[in-house]
Amino acid sequence: MELTKLAAVKTGLVLSRKEAKTTDKSWEYRQLNLKAVNDDGTINTDETIPFYASEELSPNYLTQVGDIVVKTSEPYTAAYITEEYAGLVIPSHFVVVRVDITKALPQYIAWYLNKDRIKKAFRMSCTGMLKQIKPTMVGETEIKLPPLERQRQVVELYNMSRQEIVLLERQIRQKEAYYKALINKVNRM
């Protein structure tokens, strides 16, 4: 099923159209940027930057719980927006996908858009030096949509795998620090 049958797909805000000339008499927001979206689909809020708007922005240009934002440049990472990431300005180098939750789970669609096969298709259909995708390309993506219960199972398994990976990465860092300290201690003897 084509993604546009499951969701509204559009581009983010062209920032220059709403950017304030000065910071006084402006609306301050946090802005999503390419560095803030990690390759694994998580968002690093420390990498968001301030954006000063000349007027109050429409909620359409801000991340909302359940949104999916997709980088328009490689590696075309899709990130699911949780409550923690709501309210960020979405610039035009992202595509916003707002899923109809009666038809599909947004988390499942985000997982699906992050599949290697989908990213390869995006890469293959791009032309030019920048290799940027357009919202229509994202919207035309064919989604193999299982029943909602199967989508929930996929999302649950994916979330468990992500949690385990985070724990293993933390354990690796701890082991590295332990062995470094041990080697330094042995070296001093």
Side-chain angles (χ1 to χ4, degrees):
M1 181 179 297
E2 199 171 89
L3 183 56
T4 54
K5 293 190 178 8
L6 305 169
V9 180
K10 59 186 176 153
T11 190
L13 173 68
V14 177
L15 298 175
S16 61
R17 293 183 185 161
K18 301 287 183 178
E19 192 168 20
K21 304 287 184 248
T22 63
T23 56
D24 52 316
K25 294 185 181 178
S26 65
W27 281 260
E28 183 178 356
Y29 296 91
R30 296 300 296 171
Q31 176 195 320
L32 194 60
N33 60 53
L34 295 174
K35 282 176 59 176
V37 177
N38 300 319
D39 290 348
D40 65 358
T42 57
I43 295 176
N44 181 353
T45 53
D46 293 337
E47 293 290 344
T48 61
I49 57 175
F51 176 75
Y52 298 96
S54 57
E55 61 189 65
E56 188 172 7
L57 297 178
S58 162
N60 289 335
Y61 295 120
L62 304 176
T63 54
Q64 300 171 22
V65 174
D67 281 358
I68 301 162
V69 291
V70 183
K71 288 181 175 183
T72 59
S73 57
E74 286 194 271
Y76 313 115
T77 306
Y80 173 74
I81 302 299
T82 61
E83 200 171 297
E84 181 181 356
Y85 309 124
L88 299 172
V89 176
I90 308 164
S92 59
H93 42 270
F94 287 94
V95 173
V96 185
V97 179
R98 293 197 166 125
V99 177
D100 178 346
I101 60 171
T102 64
K103 297 178 180 177
L105 295 177
Q107 302 95 318
Y108 177 83
I109 301 298
W111 168 81
Y112 197 92
L113 291 173
N114 278 322
K115 291 174 78 170
D116 292 337
R117 181 176 58 80
I118 300 299
K119 290 182 177 191
K120 182 179 180 183
F122 287 160
R123 211 172 11 264
M124 299 300 284
S125 60
C126 288
T127 56
M129 293 287 291
L130 295 178
K131 298 274 188 195
Q132 289 193 314
I133 55 173
K134 293 180 171 43
T136 53
M137 194 180 304
V138 175
E140 292 169 357
T141 302
E142 283 295 319
I143 306 288
K144 290 186 180 174
L145 196 63
L148 284 171
E149 186 53 37
R150 177 73 51 86
Q151 293 177 46
R152 277 188 195 85
Q153 291 171 344
V154 169
V155 168
E156 194 174 304
L157 279 171
Y158 175 73
N159 288 341
M160 284 180 2
S161 72
R162 288 297 322 144
Q163 289 172 347
E164 185 175 356
I165 288 168
V166 167
L167 290 172
L168 290 170
E169 287 171 345
R170 183 180 307 143
Q171 190 176 19
I172 288 169
R173 287 190 303 275
Q174 290 170 342
K175 286 285 188 182
E176 286 173 339
Y178 168 76
Y179 284 116
K180 184 177 180 181
L182 182 62
I183 291 168
N184 287 338
K185 183 178 179 180
V186 168
N187 192 35
R188 280 185 258 157
M189 291 181 169

